[in-house]
Amino acid sequence: MEKSYTMPIYQKIAIDIANNICNGYIAEGTTLHGRSALAGKYNVSPETIRRSIKILEDLKVVESIKGKGIIVLSRSNAESFLKKYQNITNVSSYKSQLSELLSSRSKLESQILETMNKIVDYSSRLSTINPLVPFEFLIKSNCKLIGQTPGQTNFWQNTGGTIVAIKRGEDLIISPGPYIEFMENDILMVIGDTHVNTSVPMFLYEK
């Protein structure tokens, strides 16, 4: 699973300083406290403050001048910096949401597959015809529908049966939909009334 994005403390401090500049609490031309004082204010090491100030220096928000301290250069650059990190936060949030959705989809697909496997298992043991128990039809090499789709052939309209799954080799394709192409050796799993047991073979092979 995708891990959520955690912002380092030095970036958070840089954002806090930029916020104070944008909100007018720190004016352009103002000299900030020294690194030791800022380290005490934020309860971090001077090295962490150095990294925070370096971010702001690279973006021309502040400038460190030897003998004078840290000078605030530009409120507009501080605003640009905040927008950049807002975008990063949004992307991280979207990635986290996507990860959760993919996880939910995976669980749902597993539940569908489990249910379908139960239906397949029961279908091999039940002797009484039930419209919810799928019939199985093998696509042989002489099938006229090979290369076409259920949608193109109007499968349901012509047979009265609904394809709920297709066995393709070792794979079981659940709810294949109208756009999957029929392939040789596919096994169609079709539900419907008893007449589909004759209507489907006729549709697959009779000209």
Side-chain angles (χ1 to χ4, degrees):
M1 181 181 293
E2 185 81 24
K3 294 183 179 179
S4 59
Y5 173 77
T6 301
M7 185 178 295
I9 184 63
Y10 68 89
Q11 290 182 359
K12 293 180 180 179
I13 293 172
I15 288 172
D16 185 63
I17 294 172
N19 262 319
N20 287 330
I21 295 172
C22 289
N23 292 332
Y25 298 129
I26 303 176
E28 291 182 358
T30 299
T31 301
L32 299 178
H33 297 294
R35 291 178 184 172
S36 296
L38 289 172
K41 175 183 176 182
Y42 288 103
N43 194 28
V44 295
S45 68
E47 173 60 20
T48 298
I49 294 298
R50 185 194 69 78
R51 297 181 70 182
S52 301
I53 297 303
K54 183 66 168 60
I55 292 175
L56 298 175
E57 284 183 316
D58 289 344
L59 297 173
K60 308 299 181 183
V61 177
V62 302
E63 181 182 10
S64 294
I65 301 177
K66 189 173 182 179
K68 291 186 178 181
I70 303 167
I71 311 299
V72 176
L73 296 180
S74 171
R75 178 176 179 177
S76 62
N77 287 348
E79 291 175 348
S80 298
F81 164 72
L82 291 177
K83 288 179 181 178
K84 171 187 174 183
Y85 274 93
Q86 181 62 45
N87 290 337
I88 291 176
T89 302
N90 288 340
V91 169
S92 173
S93 175
Y94 296 149
K95 289 174 69 177
S96 178
Q97 292 177 29
L98 177 59
S99 178
E100 292 175 4
L101 289 172
L102 290 174
S103 177
S104 298
R105 188 185 73 173
S106 178
K107 291 178 182 178
L108 180 59
E109 289 178 345
S110 295
Q111 292 172 355
I112 292 173
L113 181 59
E114 181 181 358
T115 302
M116 281 301 307
N117 284 334
K118 289 179 180 178
I119 292 174
V120 172
D121 181 58
Y122 284 135
S123 69
S124 65
R125 288 185 276 165
L126 293 176
S127 57
T128 303
I129 299 299
N130 186 307
L132 295 181
V133 177
F135 295 92
E136 295 188 4
F137 303 97
L138 175 65
I139 299 290
K140 301 176 183 178
S141 60
N142 62 330
C143 176
K144 65 180 182 179
L145 304 186
I146 291 176
Q148 300 184 65
T149 69
Q152 290 172 331
T153 59
N154 294 319
F155 186 91
W156 176 80
Q157 292 88 337
N158 284 292
T159 66
T162 300
I163 302 173
V164 294
I166 296 178
K167 291 182 181 179
R168 181 169 289 172
E170 297 297 322
D171 297 326
L172 180 64
I173 304 170
I174 305 297
S175 298
Y179 304 113
I180 188 169
E181 291 187 358
F182 296 116
M183 296 178 62
E184 184 179 350
N185 295 323
D186 280 352
I187 298 176
L188 308 183
M189 303 186 67
V190 181
I191 60 173
D193 295 333
T194 56
H195 77 275
V196 301
N197 203 23
T198 54
S199 65
V200 172
M202 290 178 60
F203 184 61
L204 294 178
Y205 296 104
E206 291 191 3
K207 296 182 179 179

